Amino acid sequence: MRDLVFYNAACVQVTGARRLILPLRRSVRRLLLPLFQRLVEILQTFDLDLEQVGVRQAQLEATQKEREAEIRRLQQQLAAVSRRQYDLEAFQLDHEALVRRLAALEDHVEALLHERMLGEPR
Amino acid sequence: MRILVLSNLYPPDYVGGYEIGCSQAVDALRARGHEVLVLTSAPRLPVLHEAHVRRALQLTDVYSKYAMEHSTEVFQRLAESEAHFVNAFNVYQLTRVLEEFRPEVAYLWHLVGLGGLGLVACLQYLGIPWLWHLMDAVPSTLCSRLGRPVPALTALFGKQIRGRYLACSRRLPAEIEAEGISLADQVELLPNWICGPRSPAPTDFFRGDYLRIVSAGQIGRHKGVDILIEAAGRLRTNGYGNFSVDIYGKVSDAFFGDLIDRLDLNDQVKLQGSRTQAELMALYRDCRYDVFAFPTWEREPFAFGPLEAAAEGCVPVMSRICGNAEWFVDGVHCLKADRTPEAFAEIFARILDGEVDLERLSRRASAVVWRDFHLNALVPRIERALEAAARQPRPGVGSAREAYHLALLAEKLSQVLIQEPYCA
């Protein structure tokens, strides 16, 4: 198995008196094999998790960018709405002024017409 | 009619246009045969005695910035309570004057400093009908503590206090109502005014060579003096040097002088110091100013300055949103701009470039102000409003003795409530 090759490291190309401990090494390796296999499984799971975390992080970063763009757009819209509201209020005030002036002029016209009527011979 | 006028100050002792407006209205009512008695505070400087003015009230001068800033917190709060809520001494004086003068109607003006809430409550308790002339958000100020309206007080005011109001612009009652006080539908709009004999019609107008800009009033950022100075700076940066800006008013902040220095505008912009209303009117006429710059804040109820300047042929250039903007039409009687240095500089540049017919604006504005904004044209409406107020029902009539007792109780209670946390 690819993941267990590491444990053969001290069991190949061994020469001289060091060959005597090879059977011991092999027996230990045999005994520990289930543990090593389990470790491989765990590490593979971690690897998979890391990949998923990476994908999730990328997704989150993209979402954050979208949200930031959304906030910028909303800020621009708010500024535009505030501006429009300001313009509307200013326009409303000017309109009110116009209406008041018109009313005053109507009153003056009425008063002048009344005066003229009184002055006309019957 | 017998009319009792209540005002915190009365000329020659005054702070601003509100008190001057009060004295002009009083003179106009007296000239039309009404019996008017003014009840106001003891003057802050000696003044001549006038038979129709009783200066018997105590003023708690919360407008004295120096005194308020150099006093302890507990003193400030007690002073504010006495100025806004109740001053039993003033209630006592009011009850005495009411018994003696027996007015048909009370005509209320600026009541901050007198414990105005207590005075209005006293009138309400005694069933004296009243008309309140609003040139500032006085009802909501009287219901405020530390600069904020107290919801319990504003709610009570709306429920218990019933009278009629004259307001100088639509935005003023709107502001008062936004702070929680319901004025019901008892508000009538009446613009501010000019008074005095009509000056000769202006004959000398801007010819495109040199623009003379003037501004007058309080020198503060809320009035946009900084905006005006910066607008002058921008105008010069844009290559216009043929203009001057004279700013009249009491300078109490070195910021504005520094700003003129920093922008190197000493040749063009001058802080000219304080002038009386009559002196200003003469200046608008004699110095032949072309425009009156008024980049004021949105809260402005309706300043007298631009009106007086317009009467003398000086075209107001004002913020698009303010009380004055409700009464004059852009491009017809005045020019309106966004409240920014850029916008004001642009308007001045347009005038200098000959794109604005300032003469026609000036003639129209002057004629309209003398004709429709003169006090003589408006005082009949004040009379009608006073008569309508006097005809109002007078529910819950109590006695003056009880009113004074209640005022004493309220005063002591507010003092205890303020002092208690400091004694703990």
Side-chain angles (χ1 to χ4, degrees), chain B residues 1-3 33-36 101 104-105 383 386-390:
Chain B
M1 288 181 87
R2 269 195 321 282
I3 304 163
H34 298 287
E35 197 181 339
V36 184
F101 184 62
E104 291 163 69
V105 63
E383 273 176 333
L386 285 165
E387 282 161 9

Side-chain angles (χ1 to χ4, degrees), chain A residues 81-97, chain B residues 169-172 174-175 222-224 227 294-303 317-328 330 334-340 343-344:
Chain A
V81 167
S82 301
R83 178 71 221 178
R84 273 171 57 190
Q85 195 194 345
Y86 180 90
D87 286 343
L88 274 174
E89 196 178 344
F91 181 75
Q92 192 194 350
L93 291 185
D94 213 42
H95 176 256
E96 266 188 46
Chain B
S169 59
R170 189 180 53 81
R171 64 190 307 96
L172 185 54
E175 180 189 335
H222 63 297
K223 295 286 180 180
I227 292 174
F294 195 52
T296 190
W297 58 348
E298 292 187 14
R299 264 206 69 227
E300 181 71 54
F302 188 159
V317 180
M318 61 175 82
S319 305
R320 290 174 75 198
I321 296 183
C322 66
N324 296 62
E326 279 181 36
W327 296 96
F328 295 97
D330 185 21
C334 67
L335 295 165
K336 295 179 185 175
D338 286 347
R339 195 174 181 254
T340 60
F344 272 78

Side-chain angles (χ1 to χ4, degrees), chain A residues 55-89:
Chain A
V55 171
R56 184 81 188 122
Q57 189 180 354
Q59 281 173 349
L60 284 173
E61 278 171 0
T63 311
Q64 190 185 350
K65 277 181 187 163
E66 275 174 28
R67 295 285 176 272
E68 281 171 358
E70 183 84 359
I71 287 167
R72 272 196 300 277
R73 202 163 48 248
L74 286 173
Q75 279 172 338
Q76 284 165 356
Q77 280 176 2
L78 180 66
V81 167
S82 301
R83 178 71 221 178
R84 273 171 57 190
Q85 195 194 345
Y86 180 90
D87 286 343
L88 274 174
E89 196 178 344

Side-chain angles (χ1 to χ4, degrees), chain B residues 8 41 57-64 68 75-76 78-84 86-87 90 112-115:
Chain B
N8 59 359
S41 63
L57 301 180
Q58 271 178 350
L59 178 80
T60 308
D61 195 358
V62 281
Y63 290 116
S64 169
M68 292 304 279
F75 174 87
Q76 287 171 10
L78 284 168
E80 187 187 51
S81 162
E82 227 174 58
H84 293 180
V86 62
N87 178 324
N90 288 346
V112 173
L114 301 177

Side-chain angles (χ1 to χ4, degrees), chain B residues 111-130:
Chain B
L111 299 182
V112 173
L114 301 177
L117 216 47
L119 297 178
V120 182
C122 174
L123 292 173
Q124 192 73 31
Y125 188 73
L126 299 178
I128 308 292
W130 50 265

